[in-house]
Every structure is written in C-alpha cells, then in structure tokens.
Amino acid sequence: MKKGIAYLLALAVLMAMLAGCGNAESSQEGEFKAGENGVVKVYNWGDYIDEEVIDLFEKETGIEVVYDLFENNEEMYPIIEAGGRVYDAVCPSDYMIERMLRNGLLQKINMDNVPNIEYIGQTHMQGAQSFDPENAYAVPYTFGTVGIMYNTTMVGEDEVKSWNVLWEEKYSQSIVMYESVRDSLVPALRLLGYSLNTTDRGQLEEATQRLVEQKPLVYSYVMDQIKDLMINGEVALGLAYSGEVLAIQEQNPDIAFCVPDEGSNYYMDAWVIPENAENKENAEAWINFLCRPDIAKRNFEYITYSTPNEGAIELLDESYLENKDVFPEDEVIARCEVFQYLGEEMDQYYADLWKRVKAAR
C-alpha cells in the first residue's frame, strides 16, 4: 500500500468512492456541489483512509471533500510542484515533505486550528523534526519500520535478528526485496555501519556491491506482490514494511516480522498544506478531525499502519497493543533512522546505483 500502491488498486478505490460513497467526489470529474461550509481538496495514497471517515467529516462539518489518489511520492510531487491541480491537504512521506519544504511548496499549519494534535505522541513529534524541524508544517498520520518478514515454518527467529540472513545461500530464490533503491539499501548500509542518509559515494558503492552479490539469491524485486508471496508460502523471507504485517498475518498466522539488531528505517507519513492551497482553514479542520482519537482508531483498524495517536491507542483492543511489530518499543525506534531528502544530484546517483543492481547477473 504505502510505497507502491498498484494503479489498479488506486483506480478501484476511486471508482468505489465515486459510485458508492456519494459524498466524496474527484476533482477531475468537473463540477460539484460544495458543502455549506465550502470544500477541502484532499490528495492521499490509495486505500489510506476508512471511507466512512470522509462521510463523517462532511456530516459533522458541512465541508465537502474532494478526494484524489496518488500511487507514490514521486507521482505526487510534480503535481503539487506544477500547481495545475490545487490541493488543500496532502499526505506525503518524511523525505518528500523535506523536499517540499526546501522548495517552498508548503505553508505553516495554524496549530490553533488543530487542537487534537495534542494526541500525537511526543516520540513521533520529535521524529517528525528530522524533516520538519519546527513541527510547523506537518502533522503525523501513520508510522512504521522496515524489517524482515519471514515464515516461521521456514526461518528461525534467531536468524532474523541480523540483516545477514538476507545473504544466506540456503534461502536462495526464497528471498524478496523491494523494487526501491533506498529501501533495498537499508540492510546493506546498516550491516556496514553506515547512515541510511549517507551521501558518501564510497560508502554507497560498497553497499551497492553487497546488493549485487545478493542478487543471485533474490527471487524477485517487488512491492505489493510481497503480500501474496508471503501469504501463499512461496518465499521464506524478505524486506517488508511493518504496516503490512497485520493484513498478512490474518491470512497466514505463520508470518512474523523483525527489525534486525543493526537498525533500520523508521518512516512516517504526515498531513501537510500546500503553499497554494485555496481552503487552508478547511484543511486544518480536516487534519484536526483525523487527529481525533475515535477517528484515528477507526482509520488504524482499516489501514493497519501504526497510528502515532496516543488517544486512539488508548481505545484499541489489547491484542493490537501487544503486537510489537505494529507498535514497536521505543528502543526499536531508537536504532532506526528517518529517510531524509538528499537533493536532486543524489537522487540521480541513487537511481544509477539501482540500475547497476538490476543489470547485474
């Protein structure tokens, strides 16, 4: 979902909303009837909200929601940068928020209009400072970690405590990695003791070589396909986002997840308001509504990505809270890094490194 939503999924969600929701309409569909208190134009990942939340917001506020979907951060960014389609509230990821800030594409949120931000845990507000130093432009929505998802009938619990397991010959053609250079570099960089945000080309060359050496063992480089592969027992282990764990475990209870001891990536998606937003106060009302504990709880139970909302956490069933894959302890987060935007030159360099990995035999 996050990071790699398939186009067909996004399209299906959009069509379902247009046909069944009745209230939320795509801004690409032409004219619409604004609510009594105007509109809020929202741009979000596919399947990243409980659709009933949209209905509830409209009924409670009288604000019409115009709701569009994007597949990934790289698709979203040029839309906001070009300004041809104007949105009031957008939900990018950490490093992309930093890029948007650097390029003057965001405006400060009036936190007086978002009093429910008090429910966002301080650990996560501090984590957001890595891309929003003043906590002035972004309100955390979801978070998670990158780790190893594995089938407990094939892989031992002790083995996944280190990223080295992804280079084990005995799992040849039973390992999956993400079709993403920064995600796939996580294991190699952490094994070498390097930062996930390194711009040192020597370090990056070394880490890339590790991925080249690993490639003969890799079954496939995937995104959403990891779900079916793990559920069906077609592979033993692979790189994965913690937000996928609950949905997969519901269909295959043999699946487990671990953040290796060397550390990993801690990711966060957050709501921001573009600089050219036309309905800023309505956007702030939208963000405040999503921070309300009962609404945050509803969203978590639908999308299963961890919520940073402590008020919502207090309302959750104990079984969710006992799942440390979904709600990791502070010491796990402490050994993780948030991705930072490294600049256009490094973006191209990382892309070239990934081409080298994919071309290796």
Side-chain angles (χ1 to χ4, degrees):
M1 181 184 61
K2 168 191 186 336
K3 340 287 187 187
I5 292 295
Y7 172 77
L8 289 177
L9 175 59
L11 181 61
V13 173
L14 179 57
M15 294 303 293
M17 289 170 57
L18 293 173
C21 259
N23 291 321
E25 300 184 40
S26 168
S27 63
Q28 302 173 56
E29 291 299 313
E31 296 298 322
F32 58 87
K33 184 177 182 298
E36 59 184 294
N37 292 320
V39 302
V40 60
K41 299 177 182 178
V42 178
Y43 203 23
N44 195 10
W45 302 83
D47 209 28
Y48 217 33
I49 196 169
D50 184 335
E51 292 176 16
E52 292 183 4
V53 165
I54 299 172
D55 293 332
L56 289 171
F57 175 79
E58 291 182 322
K59 289 174 183 176
E60 291 191 22
T61 66
I63 299 170
E64 186 85 13
V65 178
V66 180
Y67 196 90
D68 284 347
L69 308 175
F70 59 85
E71 184 175 345
N72 55 53
N73 286 293
E74 286 66 32
E75 172 192 327
M76 174 277 302
Y77 180 84
I79 298 296
I80 301 302
E81 183 180 41
R85 278 187 276 161
V86 177
Y87 292 98
D88 305 310
V90 185
C91 189
S93 302
D94 35 50
Y95 70 96
M96 192 57 72
I97 293 173
E98 183 176 3
R99 181 182 183 185
M100 296 169 83
L101 263 175
R102 285 194 195 182
N103 293 327
L105 298 181
L106 302 179
Q107 59 179 298
K108 286 186 176 182
I109 298 171
N110 181 355
M111 295 304 176
D112 289 340
N113 292 334
V114 190
N116 287 334
I117 197 173
E118 67 174 330
Y119 293 109
I120 305 299
Q122 283 307 301
T123 296
H124 304 293
M125 292 301 294
Q126 291 169 8
Q129 289 174 0
S130 66
F131 56 87
D132 177 19
E134 300 176 5
N135 286 136
Y137 293 86
V139 175
Y141 182 55
T142 62
F143 75 94
T145 55
V146 172
I148 298 173
M149 189 176 293
Y150 64 104
N151 189 312
T152 57
T153 68
M154 304 179 193
V155 184
E157 181 180 356
D158 289 341
E159 293 182 272
V160 295
K161 291 182 179 180
S162 172
W163 288 114
N164 279 315
V165 71
L166 296 178
W167 278 261
E168 287 285 346
E169 290 279 351
K170 65 180 177 179
Y171 296 119
S172 179
Q173 294 304 301
S174 198
I175 297 169
V176 288
M177 297 288 286
Y178 274 135
E179 181 69 58
S180 162
V181 60
R182 294 204 68 177
D183 288 327
S184 287
L185 275 170
V186 167
L189 287 170
R190 296 310 297 169
L191 281 171
L192 293 166
Y194 301 147
S195 168
L196 303 185
N197 296 303
T198 184
T199 57
D200 183 302
R201 298 199 176 202
Q203 294 179 356
L204 289 167
E205 291 285 339
E206 195 176 347
T208 300
Q209 183 57 35
R210 293 296 302 270
L211 293 184
V212 169
E213 294 167 359
Q214 181 205 36
K215 188 178 180 184
L217 308 179
V218 175
Y219 174 79
S220 184
Y221 296 93
V222 301
M223 290 304 296
D224 278 357
Q225 299 95 321
I226 191 174
K227 296 177 183 177
D228 289 338
L229 292 171
M230 295 301 300
I231 289 169
N232 297 331
E234 295 179 57
V235 294
L237 72 168
L239 200 61
Y241 304 119
S242 60
E244 307 286 5
V245 173
L246 280 179
I248 293 175
Q249 287 177 335
E250 286 177 0
Q251 299 186 64
N252 187 340
D254 292 328
I255 301 303
F257 179 86
C258 178
V259 176
D261 293 342
E262 295 93 354
S264 186
N265 167 236
Y266 159 67
Y267 59 79
M268 183 182 295
D269 291 340
W271 288 100
V272 299
I273 300 178
E275 178 61 32
N276 63 348
E278 297 172 340
N279 305 284
K280 183 173 186 286
E281 289 189 2
N282 286 353
E284 290 163 348
W286 168 262
I287 295 169
N288 188 56
F289 187 77
L290 294 178
C291 288
R292 205 172 79 187
D294 61 315
I295 298 301
K297 170 182 179 289
R298 181 190 288 263
N299 267 335
F300 164 75
E301 291 174 342
Y302 179 82
I303 65 178
T304 72
Y305 272 72
S306 306
T307 175
N309 191 299
E310 292 184 345
I313 289 172
E314 291 178 2
L315 302 176
L316 290 175
D317 186 273
E318 192 67 26
S319 63
Y320 287 127
L321 304 182
E322 291 172 353
N323 190 326
K324 299 306 179 185
D325 300 335
V326 181
F327 291 104
E329 296 174 340
D330 287 348
E331 66 88 12
V332 173
I333 293 178
R335 65 176 190 262
C336 294
E337 286 182 88
V338 175
F339 283 149
Q340 295 177 335
Y341 175 58
L342 304 177
E344 291 184 10
E345 181 180 345
M346 289 307 298
D347 271 357
Q348 184 58 55
Y349 183 65
Y350 270 79
D352 291 342
L353 294 177
W354 190 236
K355 289 178 183 177
R356 189 188 310 172
V357 173
K358 297 301 294 291
R361 296 181 180 273

